Amino acid sequence: MLGLRGFPGVQGGVETHAQHLCPLLAAAGCHVEVIVRSAYQPPSVGDHWQGVRFRRLWAPKSKGLEAIVHSFLGVLYAGLIRRPDVLHIQAIGPAVMTPLARLFGLRVVVTHHGPDYDRQKWGQVARWVLQLGERFGMRWSHGRIVISEVIRGLVRQKHGRESTLIPNGVVLPDLPDSADALAKFGLDAGRYVVLVSRLVPEKRHFDLIRAFDQAALPGWKLAIVGASDHPDEYVRSVIEAAKATPGTVCTGLQTGEALRQLYAHAGIFVLPSSHEGLPIALLEALSYGLPVVASDIPANLEVGLPAAHYFPLGDTEALAERLRAFAAQPLTPGLRNERRAWVKTRFDWHDIARRTLLVYQAVVKS
């Protein structure tokens, strides 16, 4: 597998996707090797984790170059050394190397996680490369996986290809009894709004900060959880806006037990983003049984929540109203368990792994 920074505990939707998927593929009998970027892969993990083998390859830690350079080196490694039955490329950026992989005689599966060229952080050249990666990945691969119906329609319309819809999933976590991680940030259980994401423009942190300020929830705080791989002016602006807004804290990147506690003890989860594939963070919030509020972009709507959980993209007053409404509703154990059962039924990683394996088997037999 190629096209991600690494895992476990590495920030990013594709990384979280692979972290859940790969051990289940290994448990199903696949020999899974993941080509990761050495600068991101936690040294403490070692070369094997839950049946998955890691191959660390160097890449320049540069927003514009690291993915394409690492993907090129990864395809060389796969084509010249490993010769796998299937090379699974995650995301359309790395998929620009699909023709090279085909030249090496490899059978290629590409997962389309969303039109990354729509993300605000990319310049004109980067967007062109991402569009080229989408074109190559969807037209040259042996198998195509998409994570949402919206993306499947895009692939059919733009590239005339059919694809297999396999969404992201969740694993229902054990709810932690401890809340000691909250004290570090001055948070009280059940009395804070949380957003877990990378600090990038399409997550629209400013919308949430403004809406939280407008909502004026007595005794509540806002926790912005996450960081950026490449800190820039946007990151600095978010941190400054948080400092200027009473009750708002930026926790930085959190993983492991601290992240579990920040999810589990939140009062409301919000995802105000303008771009998503199928939002893993939203699904994870639901797996903790949290009331969630999300922007009404197609990827978020596809999760299938009732209308009261959505607000028009960019409408901070509507978001503030949603915050007031959910803050006034007690989060009972019954409601929490209902949400957990609902998301488990619709987005189960074991079923996702089974369906992914079927794609591999079809590609190998073709």
Side-chain angles (χ1 to χ4, degrees), residues 50-244:
Q50 295 190 12
V52 179
R53 183 175 187 266
F54 295 113
R55 175 61 181 177
R56 292 171 169 82
L57 293 182
W58 171 86
K61 200 167 182 181
S62 163
K63 182 171 71 173
L65 292 175
E66 68 178 48
I68 194 167
V69 171
H70 187 261
S71 300
F72 173 71
L73 296 175
V75 169
L76 292 183
Y77 172 75
L80 297 175
I81 299 174
R82 294 301 295 174
R83 306 296 306 169
D85 294 320
V86 174
L87 174 64
H88 189 167
I89 299 177
Q90 299 282 353
I92 60 172
V96 76
M97 295 297 163
T98 303
L100 178 61
R102 291 291 303 268
L103 284 174
F104 281 121
L106 299 176
R107 295 188 177 275
V108 182
V109 172
V110 174
T111 293
H112 194 322
H113 289 269
D116 289 343
Y117 42 79
D118 288 339
R119 295 184 186 272
Q120 295 170 256
K121 66 179 180 178
W122 298 120
Q124 186 173 352
V125 173
R127 291 181 182 184
W128 177 80
V129 171
L130 289 166
Q131 289 171 335
L132 193 65
E134 180 185 76
R135 182 181 182 88
F136 286 170
M138 295 300 98
R139 299 191 182 201
W140 287 68
S141 59
H142 296 87
R144 291 159 295 279
I145 296 172
V146 296
I147 63 170
S148 74
E149 189 63 54
V150 172
I151 301 172
R152 179 154 66 175
L154 180 150
V155 171
R156 185 182 294 122
Q157 179 183 7
K158 290 182 63 176
H159 305 289
R161 299 292 191 274
E162 293 301 322
S163 52
T164 302
L165 172 57
I166 307 178
N168 289 321
V170 293
V171 175
L172 286 192
D174 294 328
L175 298 179
D177 295 322
S178 175
D180 56 311
L182 275 60
K184 179 179 178 182
F185 306 109
L187 302 172
D188 295 324
R191 303 285 290 178
Y192 62 93
V193 178
V194 68
L195 166 59
V196 180
S197 75
R198 286 184 292 167
L199 296 186
V200 290
E202 60 268 18
K203 300 302 181 182
R204 297 184 72 101
H205 297 85
F206 295 114
D207 287 357
L208 178 54
I209 292 171
R210 283 192 289 268
F212 175 76
D213 192 42
Q214 292 169 13
L217 305 176
W220 283 67
K221 290 189 176 182
L222 168 62
I224 296 175
V225 181
S228 173
D229 299 325
H230 307 283
D232 55 15
E233 184 57 35
Y234 179 80
V235 175
R236 290 186 286 272
S237 296
V238 169
I239 293 172
E240 289 302 315
K243 289 179 179 178

